[in-house]
């Protein structure tokens, strides 16, 4: 029972954030003395397997997000993360095929400067 409410808290944090969060971010936002970082991590990995959350790598760190598979434009100026659609979903198999490679998933983050951080 305890576990259920903790898992719900983790999903609530991700739902409210609307941006990807690291395991540490999520842990820090949950006020629960009985919750520890490894429980948060295990729950997130479980959610990932069950397709309740998605993962992406941003600045060499693992982030979790909710909703559907997509990618992010990450601003190097203000660190804003802008969600963008996936342009290679469905094409993955064809990319691996010439190499006899069976693609299972992909990860991609685009870095640069948002319209407010660009210098003219
Ligand atoms: Zn920016
Ligand atoms: Zn994608």
């Amino acid at each position: 029972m305890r576990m259920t409410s903790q898992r719900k808290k983790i999903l609530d944090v991700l739902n409210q954030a609307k941006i990807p969060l690291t395991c540490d971010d999520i842990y820090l936002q949950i006020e629960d003395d009985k919750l520890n970082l490894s429980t948060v991590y295990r729950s997130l990995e479980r959610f990932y397997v069950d397709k309740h959350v998605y993962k992406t790598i941003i600045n060499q760190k693992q982030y979790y997000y909710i909703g559907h598979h997509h990618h992010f434009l990450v601003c190097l100026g203000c660190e804003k993360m802008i969600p963008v659609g996936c342009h290679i979903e469905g094409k993955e198999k064809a990319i691996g095929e010439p190499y006899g490679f069976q693609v299972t998933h992909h990860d991609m983050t685009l870095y640069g400067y948002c319209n407010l951080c660009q210098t003219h």
Side-chain angles (χ1 to χ4, degrees):
M1 286 298 115
R2 181 83 215 159
M3 201 57 213
T4 305
S5 84
Q6 287 181 342
R7 287 188 166 197
K8 190 183 176 300
K9 282 180 190 168
I10 293 167
L11 284 179
D12 283 349
V13 168
L14 274 172
N15 262 318
Q16 279 156 27
K18 293 190 170 79
I19 55 160
L21 297 174
T22 63
C23 185
D24 286 349
D25 293 335
I26 296 164
Y27 172 67
L28 290 173
Q29 286 190 36
I30 297 174
E31 285 171 21
D32 186 336
D33 297 341
K34 297 197 177 63
L35 191 65
N36 59 52
L37 189 58
S38 70
T39 304
V40 176
Y41 179 74
R42 279 201 311 273
S43 300
L44 286 166
E45 288 299 308
R46 185 71 232 167
F47 291 148
Y48 174 69
V49 169
D50 294 343
K51 293 188 158 57
H52 288 124
V53 305
Y54 295 85
K55 295 198 279 194
T56 193
I57 303 289
I58 298 173
N59 292 325
Q60 279 95 54
K61 271 197 283 186
Q62 182 133 288
Y63 281 75
Y64 296 87
Y65 63 95
I66 222 153
H68 61 280
H69 171 83
H70 57 282
H71 298 282
F72 295 89
L73 306 176
V74 176
C75 180
L76 299 171
C78 65
E79 297 181 342
K80 177 164 38 199
M81 296 171 183
I82 303 166
V84 291
C86 180
H87 296 272
I88 67 165
E89 205 163 24
K91 296 177 195 147
E92 295 170 299
K93 280 192 176 62
I95 293 169
E97 236 161 37
Y99 307 93
F101 192 92
Q102 190 182 9
V103 177
T104 57
H105 62 286
H106 66 269
D107 203 357
M108 180 175 72
T109 299
L110 293 90
Y111 301 90
Y113 294 93
C114 74
N115 56 353
L116 296 174
C117 293
Q118 287 166 37
T119 46
H120 298 283

